[in-house]
Amino acid sequence: MTDLAIALEVNLGGHHFHVEDHGGVYVHFYRYGPSYDDLETLQAFVDDVYSQHQRMAARPVGILVDQGQEGRQRPGPKARKILSGVNSLDGVFALGLYGGTMTLRSLSTLMIKAARLMGKLPSDVPVSFFKTEDEARVFLHHHSQHAALAS
């Protein structure tokens, strides 16, 4: 990880975000905490992360999500609204999620479909679920090579 990644790190309420600089592209890493009960903290986390994403949208961005730490609690309707409330994810070249339960994968799939329908996530952005972080990183690396060439 570079100094840039360390400078762009957000930790709030058990939720974590950081940026990895991979040459011509960024990878945004997300790990949501074990609880979605504190909606105010979740909103602050999402707002801060989204502002970081917008500042970096000039370069292609891959998104890596660790769902393994999310526990058994599913986000309720208010938390889902916060999580899906960003305006758009401009510049995203791929989204790799890993470690989630089947229930969490199903919920994530619904949220991704909703984001696509609302125009927040372009339909051509590949999204995949993986068992391990290494598998998800290989997926992002493959797509990052195409994104770096296109930019």
Side-chain angles (χ1 to χ4, degrees):
M1 210 177 316
T2 67
D3 288 337
L4 177 64
I6 293 169
L8 297 175
E9 184 173 34
V10 178
N11 290 292
L12 282 173
H15 310 296
H16 172 81
F17 165 80
H18 71 257
V19 176
E20 300 170 8
D21 188 344
H22 292 267
V25 301
Y26 291 123
V27 170
H28 289 191
F29 178 91
Y30 294 82
R31 179 180 296 126
Y32 292 96
S35 173
Y36 296 97
D37 292 336
D38 185 349
L39 297 176
E40 197 172 301
T41 298
L42 181 61
Q43 183 67 63
F45 177 77
V46 169
D47 290 347
D48 198 358
V49 167
Y50 183 68
S51 70
Q52 301 287 358
H53 174 81
Q54 289 303 102
R55 288 193 320 194
M56 305 173 92
R59 285 172 61 184
V61 173
I63 296 179
L64 180 64
V65 181
D66 176 358
Q67 296 185 309
Q69 300 296 317
E70 292 184 44
R72 299 272 180 235
Q73 181 189 9
R74 294 185 306 249
K78 290 180 181 178
R80 286 195 305 271
K81 185 175 182 179
I82 291 170
L83 291 169
S84 63
V86 297
N87 293 329
S88 71
L89 295 173
D90 299 326
V92 173
F93 64 80
L95 175 58
L97 302 97
Y98 69 93
T101 63
M102 189 53 114
T103 302
L104 196 50
R105 284 181 172 197
S106 297
L107 181 60
S108 296
T109 298
L110 290 173
M111 290 178 73
I112 290 164
K113 286 182 180 183
R116 288 190 194 283
L117 285 171
M118 293 185 292
K120 295 179 181 186
L121 182 66
S123 61
D124 62 343
V125 173
V127 177
S128 287
F129 294 89
F130 302 93
K131 288 183 181 180
T132 69
E133 180 177 353
D134 289 342
E135 293 170 322
R137 285 186 178 278
V138 167
F139 168 78
L140 287 179
H141 178 73
H142 169 76
H143 289 285
S144 72
Q145 293 173 329
H146 300 291
L149 291 174
S151 63

